Each structure stands twice: as C-alpha cells, then as structure tokens.
Amino acid sequence: MVAENSSETEFILAGLTSQPELQIPFFFLFLGFYMVTVVGNLGLITLIGLNSHLHTPMYFFLYNLSFIDFCYSTVITPKMLMSFVSKKNIISYAGCMTQLFFFLFFVISESFILSAMACDRYVAICKPLVYMATMSPQICLLLLLGVYVMGFVGAMAHTACMVRLTFCANNLVDHYMCDILPLLELSCTSTYVNELVVFIVVGIDIGVPTVTIFISYALILSSILHIHSTEGRSKAFSTCSSHIIAVSLFFGSGAFMYLKPSSLLPMNQGKVSSLFYTIVVPMLNPLIYSLRNKDVKSALKKTLSKILFS
C-alpha cells in the first residue's frame, strides 16, 4: 500500500470473523437480516405513503427513520457480505472514505430523528390540544432539516479529519466496514485531533439527543402519572414503548462503542457492538414500530385487502 492517503491506496477489510467454518453460515444469516431490513423498511415507507390517515407528524418522522435505516444498512451490509465469500475483501481508499462518510451521515441523522420523535411524543401526550398547531408541516420540515444538517456536519468533521492522515504499510482494517477507530489504528501520523473530534462530535451527537429524549420522557412520565384512568395511562405508555425500545438499542450500543477508550474495548467486542446499530437496529425498527402499533397493523390489513381484491 502506498504510504500516502492517495486515490491509489487500498484497504483490506478483515470482516467479522477469520474462522472459515463460520463464513458461509454468517453469509446466509446476515443476508437474511439484510432482506428483512430492506423489506421491513421499504414496506413501512410504502405503507405510510399509501395511507392518508398515516400522514401525521409521528408517521412523517417514522417514514424518515425507515429511510435512514434502509440507507445506512445498505451502505454497510453488502460490503460486509462480500467478506464472507471472498478471500480478500478489498476496498479502495476513495471507497472507504465514501463508506465512512455515508455511514456517519445516516447514523448521526438517526440519533437526531429519534430525538425529534421524542419531542413529537411529548407534544402529543402533554399538549394534545395544540398538537397539530405545534407540530405543523413547517415545524416538522424544519426539524427534519436540522436532523440532516447535523448528520452532514458530523460526517464531514470525521471524514475531513480522516483524509488528512497518512496510512502505513499495514492496510488490514480489523473490521467489517470502514469505521473511525479501526482506521485510526492504521495511521502513521498523530491521531490526537481525530480522537478529540470523536469525543467532541460523538459526545454532541449522542449527548444532545439523549438529553432531549430524557427531558421529553421525564415530562411525559409526569403527565402520565396525572392521568387518572388506567386505560388512559396504558394507551399513553403503549404510544411511547416502541420508541423507548428503539432508543435504548441504538444509543446503548453506540455509546458503548465510541465513548470508551479504545484500549478498554478490544476490537472483537467493538465489532459485536457495531453489529447492533449497523445490522440489528435497522432490522428491528420496522418490526418494533409495526407489530406494536395498531394504526400500522390496520393500514397493512387495508392495503393487503385492496391488493387481494383488486
């Protein structure tokens, strides 16, 4: 490998495991995961698009969550699957930086879309009389713009810091994708600035949404406790439960991966942690939001009956 960060540089992705007997089983396992992810997220996008009674702020954000999940799973999984069936999973320097940028763009956008969804649930439960006025189409679009701007800024900060590095003769990336920490291990030059950016940007991208979500749900919990009817409390809790599950899975695995010093987190554990927010979470989100949601199940039945009868 050229010892400069030029377009001729290539990396070899080590993949998830080096054990030959696990390659084919893992290929079919993660191919199955990816197919469920694609069908689930594109299905939810189609369902929300076709059913006018789902054209509300809550489903507007869910629509974009499914789009983000589909995109960043597609950025990662196909290249990961290649590592199970090829002797050397080679990726060019430009391809690696492109994968890094889009992965970070979508994963950061997901953290902020989840916080926007928490704000939406807060207004729906705590301020129901002014819900439609507060969460107007203009406000929803502004929130969505903020989500994608934060995703772009965060991805640009990390990628710009990465391209300034010079990489050494060892071009084996000990991961199944081009991620920040495995690439930093290959640098010949100081990575102090990169590590500082990781703690600052990741701190913001996890910290701000987490604080927003905690405040929103603290206020929601306070409001729920003031509801006297058991049925009302149960409905309010069920409205939020899907979102709480998705948030816990996503932020828990992300924080475990990036906010611990690399010396305390062996790369094998890092790979397992990465699997949760790159493969498992995008697959589970449409299942969590559809199986636990009466409106989505009702819309699915209506859509299927229209298709069958037509």
Side-chain angles (χ1 to χ4, degrees):
M1 188 177 88
V2 181
E4 296 288 332
N5 47 354
S6 67
S7 59
E8 298 177 2
T9 304
E10 290 181 340
F11 295 106
I12 300 171
L13 298 175
L16 188 62
T17 179
S18 59
Q19 298 180 39
E21 67 274 12
L22 294 177
Q23 301 292 342
I24 298 303
F26 274 1
F27 173 80
F28 286 108
L29 175 66
F30 289 105
L31 177 62
F33 283 176
Y34 182 59
M35 290 173 67
V36 172
T37 301
V38 171
V39 171
N41 285 292
L42 291 184
L44 200 53
I45 288 170
T46 305
L47 204 61
I48 293 170
L50 291 176
N51 290 270
S52 57
H53 74 279
L54 296 181
H55 294 175
T56 63
M58 174 182 170
Y59 293 103
F60 172 76
F61 292 120
L62 185 54
Y63 181 99
N64 281 277
L65 176 67
S66 292
F67 170 73
I68 290 167
D69 280 338
F70 166 74
C71 288
Y72 88 74
S73 181
T74 300
V75 167
I76 300 301
T77 312
K79 193 64 180 171
M80 176 190 181
L81 291 173
M82 287 181 63
S83 68
F84 296 127
V85 293
S86 58
K87 289 185 178 179
K88 281 188 178 181
N89 190 13
I90 296 172
I91 186 169
S92 68
Y93 177 85
C96 187
M97 293 302 112
T98 302
Q99 185 190 56
L100 177 68
F101 173 82
F102 281 106
F103 161 66
L104 291 169
F105 172 72
F106 287 117
V107 83
I108 293 169
S109 296
E110 171 133 351
S111 70
F112 283 96
I113 199 82
L114 288 171
S115 63
M117 292 171 76
C119 293
D120 172 71
R121 291 300 81 209
Y122 159 71
V123 178
I125 293 171
C126 301
K127 311 281 185 181
L129 298 178
V130 294
Y131 175 64
M132 293 310 295
T134 305
M135 300 302 294
S136 64
Q138 294 83 357
I139 296 297
C140 290
L141 285 172
L142 282 174
L143 285 171
L144 187 65
L145 178 63
V147 165
Y148 289 124
V149 166
M150 291 303 295
F152 179 79
V153 170
M156 277 299 295
H158 287 300
T159 310
C161 286
M162 193 63 69
V163 297
R164 58 177 278 280
L165 297 178
T166 300
F167 294 96
C168 303
N170 178 20
N171 64 342
L172 181 65
V173 180
D174 189 16
H175 213 295
Y176 57 83
M177 64 177 182
C178 289
D179 201 359
I180 300 167
L181 301 182
L183 287 172
L184 292 183
E185 292 184 353
L186 304 182
S187 175
C188 293
T189 50
S190 172
T191 60
Y192 174 77
V193 173
N194 298 71
E195 291 170 9
L196 191 62
V197 169
V198 167
F199 277 101
I200 293 172
V201 176
V202 174
I204 292 170
D205 294 336
I206 290 180
V208 172
T210 302
V211 169
T212 304
I213 290 165
F214 268 112
I215 291 173
S216 297
Y217 276 103
L219 294 170
I220 287 170
L221 181 61
S222 175
S223 181
I224 289 173
L225 293 176
H226 286 88
I227 299 175
H228 297 294
S229 69
T230 307
E231 185 181 348
R233 285 187 183 183
S234 177
K235 186 178 179 180
F237 273 121
S238 65
T239 303
C240 302
S241 58
S242 299
H243 187 246
I244 292 170
I245 293 168
V247 165
S248 301
L249 285 171
F250 180 77
F251 284 105
S253 56
F256 183 76
M257 177 67 185
Y258 290 105
L259 295 182
K260 289 182 72 174
S262 57
S263 60
L264 299 179
L265 183 65
M267 191 48 64
N268 286 336
Q269 290 183 29
K271 291 180 188 179
V272 174
S273 179
S274 297
L275 280 176
F276 276 95
Y277 64 86
T278 58
I279 309 293
V280 178
V281 171
M283 178 186 70
L284 290 181
N285 275 347
L287 299 176
I288 291 169
Y289 284 104
S290 58
L291 296 177
R292 298 179 62 86
N293 191 304
K294 291 180 182 179
D295 291 335
V296 172
K297 287 191 282 188
S298 174
L300 179 60
K301 288 177 184 177
K302 287 180 182 178
T303 304
L304 289 176
S305 62
K306 283 181 183 178
I307 294 170
L308 292 172
F309 284 117
S310 64

